[in-house]
Amino acid sequence: MSIDQSFEDTYRRLADALTVTVLTGAGVSADSGVPTFRGPDGLWNNFRAEDLATPEAFARDPQLVWEWYNWRRGLIASTRPNAAHQALARLERRLDQRGGRFRLITQNVDGLHLSAGSRRVTEIHGNIWKVRCTACGLVAENRDVPLRLLPTCSRCRELLRPHIVWFGETLAAEDLRDTYAALESCEILLIIGTSGIVYPAASFAPVAKSAGAYVIELNLETTPYTGVVDRSFQGRAKDLVPALLK
Ligand code: BJW
Ligand code: ZN
């Protein structure tokens, strides 16, 4: 099958499907100007995950970790959803109108899918605009840029942390339940802009495939998913996603 035929075939499948699950990673927000983690301009080239994105790092130096998050909140505050985020929000509305089912599982913490109007979103790694109390667990929205350091809980006055899943932490049980239900029940799983190396998201494609889903990958590059999926297209999310969903 030529690339054009293969694109046309994928376009048709997406147009006909009633149950679609989408998994996104940093690549979908790269076109909005949010830095990715890996790759030539990735955050992990200049920062060590062990120093900033683990519970041990936060226990050692909460000020340093919060300063990094303040910097990222500043970057993200000036960004807007791009054509890929918007096309996914339109897909959800289209499926709603047709009595279909849609679930967007994102590893991104930037909140841009919600800003674009997506509603059935599971943010499996949390959200940079939420804070959580290290003592009582209260979660609250906080959009201050910069956030005054060190922030404390409105209920118990203890230290707040970003409501984000760091390395070595488990994902919320409810998010995992929603995620596996969506993976195991979809006709199509669309994977966009993720390197596919961070677990548990790295295992989502085989889960959906074993349950019978047709799996499509959109990415600038090939990834560990590429050999597992049914179709893989290389290009920018802001171009590929609207073209496949128009
Ligand atoms: C474009 C594009 C464009 C660019 N258009 N595409 C050994 C084996 C197995 C597991 C482990 C292990 N050792 C440790 C673990 C567990 C660990 C893990 O997976 N580590 C791996 C690195 C091996 N996982 C965890 O700890 C998770 N918890 C867990 O598993 O609990 C159980 C457990 C605990 C302990 C031990 C074992 C099990 C939690 C993971 C939390 C991840 N958190 C982070 C950072 C949060 C901090 C923050 O954001 O503030 O989440 S890591 C970082 O990576 C971030 C991302 O969500 C995540 C995924 O990255 P993503 O989205 O894929 O981005 P990139 O940058 O990697 O890729 C971008 C892609 O886009 C590339 O492919 C580009 O080509 C593409 N692209 N521009 C289209 N315009
Ligand atoms: Zn508290």
Side-chain angles (χ1 to χ4, degrees):
M1 210 184 257
S2 73
I3 292 261
D4 284 351
Q5 278 173 324
S6 162
F7 199 84
E8 183 63 27
D9 171 68
T10 307
Y11 172 84
R12 281 270 132 248
R13 282 178 185 270
L14 277 161
D16 293 343
L18 275 178
T19 313
V20 179
T21 296
V22 179
L23 168 66
T24 64
V28 82
S29 293
D31 289 327
S32 292
V34 180
T36 61
F37 291 90
R38 300 164 187 86
D41 300 320
L43 290 171
W44 297 151
N45 284 321
N46 295 317
F47 303 98
R48 277 164 37 97
E50 301 86 323
D51 294 340
L52 298 162
T54 64
E56 294 78 16
F58 189 71
R60 207 165 40 235
D61 195 344
Q63 178 83 22
L64 175 76
V65 172
W66 263 122
E67 280 168 6
W68 189 62
Y69 278 96
N70 254 349
W71 170 71
R72 286 181 58 211
R73 284 161 69 103
L75 276 182
I76 292 169
S78 64
T79 65
R80 295 285 167 269
N82 63 54
H85 297 103
Q86 285 156 357
L88 292 170
R90 281 198 301 276
L91 171 65
E92 178 174 349
R93 288 197 291 272
R94 187 171 90 200
L95 287 171
D96 272 353
Q97 284 159 7
R98 294 174 57 207
R101 260 185 302 129
F102 176 87
R103 170 69 42 190
L104 202 169
I105 303 158
T106 187
Q107 298 167 85
N108 300 343
V109 300
D110 53 40
L112 289 178
H113 286 300
L114 294 171
S115 306
S118 290
R119 288 292 161 258
R120 290 187 187 80
V121 180
T122 307
E123 296 177 308
I124 59 171
H125 291 165
N127 186 303
I128 201 160
W129 302 113
K130 289 183 183 167
V131 292
R132 186 169 82 239
C133 178
T134 54
C136 75
L138 182 72
V139 174
E141 187 172 310
N142 181 311
R143 292 196 169 255
D144 299 349
V145 176
L147 189 144
R148 246 183 86 220
L149 303 183
L150 287 168
T152 53
C153 177
S154 58
R155 186 159 68 188
C156 75
R157 304 283 155 215
E158 292 296 325
L159 180 64
L160 294 174
R161 57 165 281 177
H163 186 50
I164 283 188
V165 181
W166 286 322
F167 283 115
E169 295 185 314
T170 50
L171 283 64
E174 194 189 336
D175 289 348
L176 282 174
R177 199 191 54 221
D178 290 351
T179 294
Y180 284 105
L183 292 170
E184 286 163 0
S185 65
C186 62
E187 284 166 64
I188 296 189
L189 172 65
L190 185 56
I191 303 176
I192 309 168
T194 173
S195 57
I197 60 169
V198 175
Y199 285 85
S203 65
F204 291 170
V207 170
K209 202 149 173 49
S210 317
Y214 189 83
V215 184
I216 303 161
E217 177 188 56
L218 310 178
N219 199 302
L220 264 186
E221 299 167 358
T222 58
T223 72
Y225 281 133
T226 309
V228 178
V229 301
D230 295 290
R231 284 277 179 272
S232 179
F233 297 100
Q234 265 87 62
R236 306 192 82 86
K238 75 167 173 52
D239 302 324
L240 288 178
V241 183
L244 268 180
L245 298 177
K246 72 171 182 291

